């Protein structure tokens, strides 16, 4: 038996071996919070205080949950798969699967991801003739999710004016539609579970008695609904260990509430708050910088961190003329690091927004450096995969309208917008799903859709006894999706992705412990039979084991596609660079970390200026980014960047100036100051965004050749006549454009202008007739 406790410092030791009472560990990055949490689980089991099924551990990302299971298996010879270790969404999904009847859900309920949620809202607005300029679909989705996170059903939403009444009405229609389709969105997974536990006493007491220990990592980022769920699962008897760091609270924009930490201490009668002050992750320069940066925040609970590791290398800061050159620089640095023996998988490239990854990916790809992207447009979110998944969803539940709509005319079957509308009308009149409404539809659309329904029925019939990978393969063939993409120009990637879906189904079956020959459509026997009868006559089937005892292979795979997307891009075991947003890097660590795009407006993000506390949240995000690094940290920014089809002229991020001089080394020379005003002025708060010019309409191809024309960061050159970079101008022949470079002076003054329609032109300012607009 391993001695689990031997490598812990005294504070960690005390935390791991706490008596069975609720406790809060509040400690900075890299101080071993997650390690304490995992070791405590192992210790509780090893000392016989609890069986593996008597505890539940909640983490924030699938990656973190997997890592916790792996660390645990390394400490104890136990099967962690059937343990209750997972994300909030994953565990709620498991509960709802086991108790679908009590939760008033169909057994085959499916999970609506954010994209599908948005499409459903758009459809509802259209069907009800609601003006989507006045009620933009994204805002409606935000409203709905927000209400759910506050635990509010449509009927309970506060309506105080016509707008809120209208929103509540849309929300109500949306609720009905989801129920009819048998789909639940992400927020619904939690809300439904909370309502189920709150209203069903026997069930609640069952779980409260079962889970003697509940452990929650990254507690600072829980929202109110998640906290309510923890309270319902815990009751008064369970010991809850909450672990967190207020300086790493980065989800306030999604309703996370740091205040939950204080409520937790009060409501769980926490006797003492445990502090961990030794950092085991980062070298001195990295830690000192993180500490200095975060000290600029005022709203802090206050913590200290020290390290015994040496100072290590200075943090390298690079200024690049453009995002392309920033990526080029990344490639060179990475090659150097790997030459020094650092594994690619130990190198992370972090960015604030997903949109930044494209240019980085392009550079890595051209340099043949393998990489893996977490988040972003994930495997399961690609159009061709979504289409395939929709067909699979129809195998599981043909009444899922979202799935039906997605593929009723894909590949094209000649069903026009009119036919679609007619079908939706008929379905509404009869209160039927689209699938069930088809026989009521006449005309050409009726017969074309009739053939589609027949195709689905035939596929459902034919695939009954197939295993999951076989079923996926067969459905891809029957749907003619593969054929469709084979005939499409540049369709090879999509065909490859579809083929990858078959392998990922095979991998899923193996990983989740389903029998190799289990028919994909068949649910486990335990669900089909009656529930286990408990002593006092209450029937409770415990949501006990792994998903393979709760769902059919296909249902489980579809949940996985919605919930656990993103892990399928690199081959398993491949040594690949790790690309992700700072948000998704939470809790992780790497030997070397690159933080890119340190530009005002990007990081800190411009939206943060609009919200109270927004800037402090951005700074916490930067704190999270810095503290991911063990040995080497690189930070970069670009003077110009192409983002969302616009070129942005950037000033460097304020966060760079908050890092102590003695911890950093500037690789690129600081900005030359020729024809410009004092760079200091760029730091005036009011000025911050006005110095960045943007324009739309330039395609990325024209941009490729032009980014290097940009001006140095934080300064906008102006000539005597007031022409300046970033100025919008109009030319009689070329139309409107924007000045991106000025050269020469007096009678020999030329401007490089990016015209929206015609691309770049270089014009002599003394000859060309330009108007300022
Ligand atoms: P974060 O706030 O970023 O989530 P954390 O507090 O959860 O960080 P961990 O990830 O648990 O920190 O630990 C950071 C690193 O330090 C890990 O590599 C861990 O194995 C190591 N570590 C923690 N405690 C010790 C210890 N007592 N001795 C040696 N290494 C340790
Ligand atoms: Mg952690």
């Amino acid at each position: 038996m391993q001695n689990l406790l031997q490598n812990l410092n005294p504070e960690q030791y005390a935390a791991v071996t706490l008596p069975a009472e609720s406790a809060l560990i509040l400690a900075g990055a890299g101080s071993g919070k997650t390690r304490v949490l995992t070791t405590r689980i192992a210790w509780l089991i090893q000392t016989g205080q609890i069986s593996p099924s008597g505890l539940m551990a909640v983490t924030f990302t699938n990656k973190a949950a997997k890592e916790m299971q792996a660390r645990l298996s390394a400490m104890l010879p136990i099967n962690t798969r059937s343990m209750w270790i997972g994300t909030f969404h994953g565990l709620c999904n498991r509960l709802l699967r086991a108790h679908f009847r009590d939760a008033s859900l169909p057994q085959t309920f499916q999970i609506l991801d954010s994209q599908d949620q948005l499409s459903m809202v758009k459809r509802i607005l259209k069907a009800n003739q609601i003006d989507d300029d006045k009620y933009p679909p994204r805002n409606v989705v935000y409203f709905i999710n927000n209400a759910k996170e506050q635990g509010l059903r449509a009927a309970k939403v506060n309506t105080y004016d016509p707008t809120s009444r209208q929103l509540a009405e849309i929300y109500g229609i949306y609720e009905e539609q989801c129920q009819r389709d048998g789909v639940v969105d992400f927020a619904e997974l939690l809300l439904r579970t909370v309502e189920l536990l709150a209203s069903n006493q026997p069930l609640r007491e069952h779980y409260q008695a079962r889970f003697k220990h509940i452990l929650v990592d990254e507690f600072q980022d829980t929202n109110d609904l998640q906290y309510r769920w923890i309270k319902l699962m815990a009751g008064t008897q369970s010991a809850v260990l909450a672990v967190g760091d207020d300086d790493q609270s980065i989800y306030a924009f999604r309703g996370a509430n740091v205040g939950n930490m204080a409520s937790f201490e009060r409501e769980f009668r926490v006797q003492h708050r445990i502090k961990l002050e030794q950092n085991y992750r980062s070298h001195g320069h990295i830690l000192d910088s993180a500490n200095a940066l975060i000290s600029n925040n005022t709203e802090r609970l206050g913590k200290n961190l020290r390290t015994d590791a040496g100072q290590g290398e200075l943090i390298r800061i690079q200024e690049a003329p453009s995002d392309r050159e920033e990526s080029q620089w990344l490639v060179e640095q990475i090659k150097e690091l790997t030459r020094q023996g650092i594994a690619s998988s130990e190198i992370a490239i972090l960015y604030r927004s997903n949109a930044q990854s494209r240019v980085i990916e392009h550079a890595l790809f051209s340099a043949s450096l393998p990489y893996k992207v977490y988040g972003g447009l994930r495997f399961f979110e690609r159009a061709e995969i979504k289409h395939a998944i929709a067909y699979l969803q129809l195998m599981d539940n043909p009444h899922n309208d979202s799935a039906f709509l997605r593929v009723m005319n894909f590949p094209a079957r000649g069903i026009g917008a009119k036919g679609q509308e007619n079908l939706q009308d008929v379905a509404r009149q009869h209160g039927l799903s689209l699938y069930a409404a088809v026989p009521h539809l006449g005309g050409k659309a009726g017969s074309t859709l009739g053939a589609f329904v027949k195709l689905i029925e035939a596929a459902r019939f034919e695939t009954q006894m197939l295993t999951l990978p076989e079923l996926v393969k067969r459905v891809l063939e029957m749907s003619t999706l593969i054929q469709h993409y084979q005939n499409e120009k540049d369709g090879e990637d999509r065909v490859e992705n579809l083929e990858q879906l078959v392998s990922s189904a095979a991998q899923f079956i193996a990983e989740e412990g389903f029998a190799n020959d289990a028919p994909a459509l068949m649910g486990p026997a335990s669900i089909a039979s009656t529930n286990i009868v408990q002593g006092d006559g209450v029937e409770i089937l415990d949501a006990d084991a792994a998903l393979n005892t709760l769902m059919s292979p296909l249902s489980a795979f579809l949940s996985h596609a919605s919930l656990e997307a993103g892990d399928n891009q690199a081959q398993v075991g491949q040594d690949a660079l790790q690309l992700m947003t700072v948000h998704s890097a939470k809790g992780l660590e790497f030997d070397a970390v690159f933080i890119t795009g340190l530009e005002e407006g990007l990081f800190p993000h411009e939206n943060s200026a609009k919200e109270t506390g927004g800037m402090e949240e951005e700074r916490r995000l930067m704190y999270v980014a810095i503290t991911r690094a063990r040995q080497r940290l690189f930070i970069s920014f670009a003077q110009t960047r192409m983002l969302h089809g616009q070129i942005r002229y950037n000033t460097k991020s304020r966060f760079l100036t908050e890092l102590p001089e003695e911890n950093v080394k500037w690789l690129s020379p600081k900005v030359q100051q020729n024809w410009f005003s004092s760079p200091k002025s760029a730091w005036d708060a009011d000025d911050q965004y006005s110095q960045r010019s943007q324009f739309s309409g330039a395609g990325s191809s024209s941009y490729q050749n032009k980014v290097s024309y940009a001006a140095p960061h934080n300064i906008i050159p102006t000539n005597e006549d007031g022409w300046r970079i970033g100025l919008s101008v109009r030319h009689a022949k070329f139309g409107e454009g924007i000045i991106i470079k000025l050269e020469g002076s007096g009678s020999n003054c030329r401007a490089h202008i990016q015209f929206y329609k015609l691309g770049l032109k270089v014009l002599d300012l003394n000859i060309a007739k330009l108007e300022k607009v």
Side-chain angles (χ1 to χ4, degrees), residues 243-254:
V243 161
D245 176 4
D246 58 309
D247 287 333
Q248 294 186 69
S249 153
I250 53 177
Y251 280 101
F253 73 100
R254 266 207 225 147

Side-chain angles (χ1 to χ4, degrees), residues 168-188:
E169 197 186 319
I170 302 171
Y171 179 15
I173 301 173
Y174 171 84
E175 275 180 331
E176 280 166 26
Q177 179 79 38
C178 287
Q179 190 63 28
R180 201 162 46 237
D181 290 6
V183 294
V184 299
D185 59 45
F186 291 144
E188 183 74 24

